[in-house]
Amino acid sequence: MVQSAKLVYKQNNYGDLWNRNLLFHCDNLECINYLLKHGFENKIDLVYIDPPFLSGERYLHRVKNNSNLAFEDVLKESEYLDMMQERLSGIRKLISSSGSIFIHLDWHAIHYIKVMMDQIFGSENFRNEIIVKRGRRKNLQYQFNSIDRMHAAHDTILWYSKLADTKFRPPLAEYHSKAKWMGFWSNVDRPTMRYEIFGSKPARGQWKWAKERALKAIGNYQLYENKFSHMMLEEYWQATSKKLEFVRKLSHRKYPEYWIPPKTHRIIDNVWLDIEAYNYSTGYGTEKHTQLLERIISQFSKPDDLIADFFCGSGTSLTVAGKLSRHWIGCDSSLAAIAVTKKRLAGNFIRVDIH
Ligand SMILES: C[S@@+](CC[C@H](N)C(=O)[O-])C[C@H]1O[C@@H](n2cnc3c(N)ncnc32)[C@H](O)[C@@H]1O
């Protein structure tokens, strides 16, 4: 599968913003070495790779009634590990000091690559393993009386940083919840958090906030009731820059209540079953979903950063990087992958001239 002739496509018709978008059609070791020789050491902010999984399978590119070989995942275990070792070592040199790498794998090789990454990147740079949904394959085991193992329903993405002290913004996902009032008393027993409000002091348990904060929030609600109650509380909160906190006491309720504002986002953890990881839009056998790449690229890089995918397949990561105003470098050794990627990029941007 390895092509010896290296072709570098450069999108050069978008001025400065795009002058670093490079698509390589070659073995990615050649691409990595080319980049190292041409000033890209410590320059790449985010790498996403979705290498072969050590599955022993051949993958097709299906278009209408035709299917061609897209790539083969048939290396022996030791060859596969040598291949990954060489590439991950080179990729580490390309990543910037604040950068990180996401490696998409499944149960076939994840354990080997975790150990390899602990050696190449350092175990102190391990951040998370992220659980994502597997593709469309259904669990058909209900048909059988006995099974040899459970259906595998997830892939795993390993996330490593280049340096251990790098900090990242908490990753957010869209999530809508309405404003609500919650009880201000808690049964956690801290005497220092028991003070008098609305003429009463709890004998046990505690108020949820410290006294100064609670008094301020009571004052905020009283001001709203006295002067602004022609507006909904949520409107008032929005008009006051979404900063005010409120505490109230209704006569028919035993305890005061505090107001929880409406939410538009929530902080995500490492289980990403709320988004799709696979897609089937191009006919390229192992195509990943733009939802997955949007989450990784938008949450763990910023506009103008340089993103690279050295096993780019149908070009999902590159398409998303462009859409999110990041520069990108892509590479694949498969002619089918490069053809699909070129087509997709042309579709996603106004016009892309690939030379
Ligand atoms: C799992 S697919 C990537 C799919 C991609 N993430 C997408 O969304 O379409 C792996 C890709 O790695 C490519 N590949 C495998 N070994 C390679 C190598 N040594 N150099 C460059 N590309 C390679 C294959 O051709 C294949 O397209």
Side-chain angles (χ1 to χ4, degrees):
M1 280 309 292
V2 174
Q3 314 258 331
S4 55
K6 173 161 62 276
L7 300 174
V8 180
Y9 300 103
K10 188 166 177 176
Q11 293 181 2
N12 61 0
N13 58 337
Y14 284 96
D16 282 347
L17 181 62
W18 299 108
N19 67 6
R20 286 198 295 181
N21 289 348
L22 302 170
L23 180 60
F24 290 76
H25 174 209
C26 58
D27 186 302
N28 48 21
L29 191 59
E30 284 186 72
C31 165
I32 291 162
N33 289 334
Y34 175 91
L35 293 172
L36 284 170
K37 269 197 220 125
H38 287 81
F40 284 87
E41 191 160 346
N42 295 322
K43 289 288 188 299
I44 298 178
D45 302 294
L46 174 68
V47 173
Y48 167 83
I49 52 169
D50 173 24
F53 285 4
L54 191 59
S55 67
E57 296 198 20
R58 292 180 164 76
Y59 296 93
L60 300 176
H61 175 219
R62 292 196 171 84
V63 207
K64 293 187 183 146
N65 298 326
N66 269 334
S67 43
N68 303 313
L69 182 68
F71 69 100
E72 297 178 309
D73 181 1
V74 292
L75 291 182
K76 287 199 197 98
E77 195 176 279
S78 61
E79 293 167 341
Y80 177 85
L81 295 178
D82 288 348
M83 182 277 285
M84 291 299 285
Q85 170 90 35
E86 244 182 324
R87 280 140 188 93
L88 290 170
S89 303
I91 290 172
R92 187 181 173 280
K93 296 185 191 145
L94 291 169
I95 296 180
S96 69
S97 54
S98 58
S100 64
I101 177 167
F102 291 77
I103 309 173
H104 193 143
L105 291 163
D106 76 357
W107 57 271
H108 288 92
I110 187 79
H111 48 306
Y112 292 129
I113 302 298
K114 169 76 172 64
V115 173
M116 187 183 283
M117 283 298 286
D118 282 348
Q119 283 159 2
I120 298 173
F121 276 67
S123 56
E124 69 283 10
N125 291 310
F126 169 71
R127 298 296 168 138
N128 280 112
E129 54 177 351
I130 301 165
I131 303 302
V132 298
K133 277 190 217 169
R134 220 168 153 72
R136 219 186 241 159
R137 243 178 261 169
K138 287 205 180 106
N139 185 350
L140 300 175
Q141 293 185 334
Y142 63 86
Q143 301 175 57
F144 309 110
N145 290 329
S146 61
I147 54 167
D148 54 2
R149 70 201 67 192
M150 286 183 279
H151 173 72
H154 77 88
D155 286 354
T156 304
I157 299 179
L158 294 174
W159 178 32
Y160 280 76
S161 58
K162 173 98 172 236
L163 298 179
D165 55 7
T166 308
K167 294 276 184 280
F168 297 85
R169 278 178 293 126
L172 299 174
E174 208 175 306
Y175 167 81
H176 293 275
S177 73
K178 289 192 175 152
K180 59 183 176 190
W181 290 96
M182 291 286 286
F184 197 55
W185 182 81
S186 143
N187 61 3
V188 180
D189 206 33
R190 268 197 296 175
T192 53
M193 296 281 276
R194 293 200 283 262
Y195 47 84
E196 187 176 316
I197 49 173
F198 302 108
S200 93
K201 180 177 167 181
R204 59 181 189 86
Q206 63 166 82
W207 298 131
K208 285 200 173 153
W209 300 344
K211 185 172 180 185
E212 200 183 334
R213 184 174 170 197
L215 293 179
K216 204 164 176 203
I218 292 170
N220 289 341
Y221 192 71
Q222 281 165 354
L223 179 68
Y224 161 72
E225 277 222 306
N226 293 340
K227 294 208 170 148
F228 299 97
S229 58
H230 56 281
M231 302 165 88
M232 300 291 287
L233 182 61
E234 194 171 320
E235 279 178 77
Y236 176 64
W237 172 75
Q238 274 169 359
T240 49
S241 310
K242 301 185 177 177
K243 287 198 176 116
L244 296 182
E245 295 182 313
F246 305 105
V247 170
R248 73 178 181 186
K249 169 82 180 68
L250 297 180
S251 55
H252 61 282
R253 290 264 156 82
K254 184 171 176 196
Y255 290 121
E257 298 165 306
Y258 69 106
W259 190 71
I260 300 182
K263 287 197 175 74
T264 53
H265 289 89
R266 66 179 171 88
I267 296 183
I268 53 174
D269 57 30
N270 69 332
V271 180
W272 293 5
L273 301 180
D274 57 322
I275 54 168
E276 294 301 325
Y278 282 77
N279 201 3
Y280 307 90
S281 71
T282 62
Y284 196 81
T286 53
E287 179 187 336
K288 298 303 177 292
H289 207 290
T290 51
Q291 285 181 359
L292 174 66
L293 273 305
E294 269 162 19
R295 175 160 293 173
I296 293 173
I297 294 174
S298 69
Q299 301 294 326
F300 301 100
S301 72
K302 48 188 194 318
D304 284 341
D305 273 1
L306 181 55
I307 314 295
D309 182 345
F310 297 102
F311 297 84
C312 73
S314 67
T316 314
S317 56
L318 315 180
T319 313
V320 172
K323 206 172 91 186
L324 296 175
S325 305
R326 273 68 165 169
H327 307 283
W328 55 258
I329 296 169
C331 177
D332 205 288
S333 52
S334 151
L335 193 57
I338 294 297
V340 178
T341 297
K342 281 168 71 176
K343 198 163 158 205
R344 267 182 110 176
L345 291 171
N348 276 330
F349 301 119
I350 313 157
R351 178 172 157 264
V352 178
D353 245 354
I354 297 176
H355 298 277

